[in-house]
Amino acid sequence: MKIAFFDTKEYDRTAFEKYGAERGMEFRFLETKLGPDTASLAEGCDAVCVFVNDDVSAPVIDRLYELGIRIIALRCAGYNNVDIKHAYGRIHVVRVPAYSPYAVAEHAMALLLTSIRRIHKAFIRTRDFNFSLNGLTGFDLHGKTVGVIGTGKIGSVFADICRGFGMEVLAYDKFPSNPNVKYVELDELFEKSDIISLHCPLTDETRHLICRESMDKMKKGVVIINTSRGALIDAEALLAEIKSRRIGAACLDVYEEEADIFFKDYSGHIVDDDLLARLISMPNVIVTSHQAFLTREALDNIADTTTDNILSYFNNDGICKNELCYHCGKVEECMKNRPQKCF
Ligand code: NAI
């Protein structure tokens, strides 16, 4: 079984080679991202494996279909980069629904603590033997209110961590399901939170959830954390609100236009994205490059589940419990409910 593996990094190779060898898979590791110009590199392979910034739009799906590919295995949870509607009836799409909610939730807390206790500033100062404390004053998390938007696997773990710090947790979810959090309307969450953390998926509805209008409802000095998807925040509006001092700090693991920038080394180059450069230049903005998932445990789980998904597809008559469901509306015929493959 041969799998074309796009957007490969060294840590992917290490994790996947172990499971690939055990499960009879041969990987064609490609450094390039999947897109209309690179889809042909999958020729001769049985499956394609992609990550968050690969382009799985309609033309790419069509080209892969022409090449005989019938399964795309996402090695991530989010799938906003896949045209699911177009894939339906052509190519099955499987994903890793959960690999370590702790990895992402803990990273969100790490960003928050780094930001409000100025750890990033202190680290640079003491390396230069500058032991001054001026400008490093932070604030206690204990007693503060955190607003968690999206209380699925990651948001729920983040809420637990925050409670451990003695914070009051308010939550908003379109489909509330966590009995341990206090759900409020979105506007109330915006108005009352000292810190807001985003853990919902990127959909048409949540795109630019954080925009000028919603930020105007927030407390002055609020800290915004985004470890979910970049386009949940209108980055230009965020910069404006940081400059107007309404937003106290932003902790960003994801960025709207990250696809061509994140995961690559641009040190020594001139980055053309002025908006990102301006955000990074702000003393109260911390950016990590979509790193929240990156723990040993998560990488191992991703490799295990992804290879298992592919095996299940090929050895189990195309049936894989982690197949993405394109809600086709054919209730009577829905194969997913049986459970079988989607089409
Ligand atoms: P999940 O599916 O368990 O939870 C998502 C929650 O968002 C659900 O409770 C759902 O009801 C809620 N939701 C859906 N639409 C909503 C809306 N319009 N408004 C408010 N809430 C809404 O997903 P999980 O595993 O907790 O992941 C959350 C997000 O984290 C993913 O969508 C993905 O984009 C991101 N992620 C980021 C990673 C990183 O490395 N930075 C790694 C893994 C996931």
Side-chain angles (χ1 to χ4, degrees), residues 77-78 80 97 99 104 149-155 172-175 177 199-203 205-206 227-229 253-254 290-293:
N80 51 286
Y99 42 86
V104 183
I149 301 183
T151 54
K153 293 175 282 297
I154 297 169
Y172 171 79
D173 196 299
K174 194 176 174 192
F175 310 101
S177 63
H199 300 287
C200 59
L202 175 63
T203 62
E205 203 177 345
T206 59
T227 56
S228 198
R229 284 292 181 265
D253 185 51
V254 285
H290 210 132
Q291 178 190 335
F293 74 99

Side-chain angles (χ1 to χ4, degrees), residues 217-261:
K217 294 176 187 160
M218 294 177 194
K219 277 188 183 179
K220 192 169 181 329
V222 64
V223 179
I224 295 183
I225 309 166
N226 189 6
T227 56
S228 198
R229 284 292 181 265
L232 293 177
I233 298 183
D234 176 345
E236 238 176 283
L238 176 68
L239 178 64
E241 297 287 352
I242 286 170
K243 283 163 77 179
S244 78
R245 315 302 196 259
R246 172 170 292 276
I247 302 300
C251 304
L252 310 174
D253 185 51
V254 285
Y255 167 65
E256 201 171 355
E257 301 299 333
E258 70 180 47
D260 292 330
I261 300 172

Side-chain angles (χ1 to χ4, degrees), residues 113 188 335:
L113 285 171
E188 187 179 343
M335 307 288 269

Side-chain angles (χ1 to χ4, degrees), residues 203-221:
T203 62
D204 289 344
E205 203 177 345
T206 59
R207 184 173 300 274
H208 288 187
L209 180 73
I210 306 300
C211 58
R212 200 168 283 241
E213 202 191 354
S214 54
M215 283 187 277
D216 281 347
K217 294 176 187 160
M218 294 177 194
K219 277 188 183 179
K220 192 169 181 329

